[in-house]
Amino acid sequence: SSLITVNTACNTGSTWNGTSCVAPSGTLSATNCSISEGNNMCDTSLTWSTSYPINTSAVTTSYPSSNTIVSSQNSGTVNYTIPYGSTDFYLYNNSVQLDQKTATASCASGTVWNNDEDICESTTGTLNTTGCIISSGGSSCSTTINWEIFNPVVSTTSLKDLTSNTIIKTISTAENI
């Protein structure tokens, strides 16, 4: 009787798991984050895991430049600072994309993005009025009210009489009366 030796191997791009040939698979998650007032970036949390990896996996992004490597590990969790807007992240193993996620950095509640300054800012403004004198026997007089709102969160605002708790006028934030 003679002995025959047969050599077998998994196809390129797969590995032996003890039972069969399997290709790498993986998952990636990326959290959205809030940018605090006066800033233009915040930290997203990235978590990933690769099953049946061939060599070492990599998490990459296009920020700050194309194919930036965030981490080279088969699994992990890291914080990564991203700018205002959306940033895409990719999980690769053996040059094959296994997953992709997008994290969005937006301004924290009560702040808005200022394109001129490239930061999140709170709403501020000025209010100017002229006084008036009610004539004898009269019950009212005319006055002028001017205001300017910087970084409005909404497109309209209301002018309110605090004495009667009534809204006098609702206007566009760019309009003065």
Side-chain angles (χ1 to χ4, degrees), residues 1 10 12 14 36 45 57 69 75 78 80 106 120 125 128 131 133-134 139 146 173-174:
S1 139
C10 293
T12 302
S14 64
S36 59
S45 178
S57 295
I69 296 174
S75 64
V78 297
Y80 191 77
S106 57
C120 292
N128 296 306
I133 298 174
I134 299 174
S139 62
N146 292 298
T173 54

Side-chain angles (χ1 to χ4, degrees), residues 9-89:
C10 293
N11 290 333
T12 302
S14 64
T15 187
W16 184 254
N17 71 359
T19 307
S20 62
C21 293
V22 292
S25 62
T27 59
L28 171 67
S29 67
T31 60
N32 296 331
C33 60
S34 293
I35 302 171
S36 59
E37 182 177 359
N39 292 296
N40 61 4
M41 295 185 179
C42 58
D43 287 341
T44 181
S45 178
L46 303 169
T47 302
W48 69 97
S49 175
T50 307
S51 299
Y52 310 110
I54 298 173
N55 299 315
T56 303
S57 295
V59 176
T60 66
T61 186
S62 59
Y63 177 80
S65 60
S66 182
N67 298 318
T68 297
I69 296 174
V70 175
S71 182
S72 293
Q73 299 177 42
N74 288 327
S75 64
T77 299
V78 297
N79 287 332
Y80 191 77
T81 303
I82 59 173
Y84 177 80
S86 296
T87 303
D88 293 327
F89 293 91

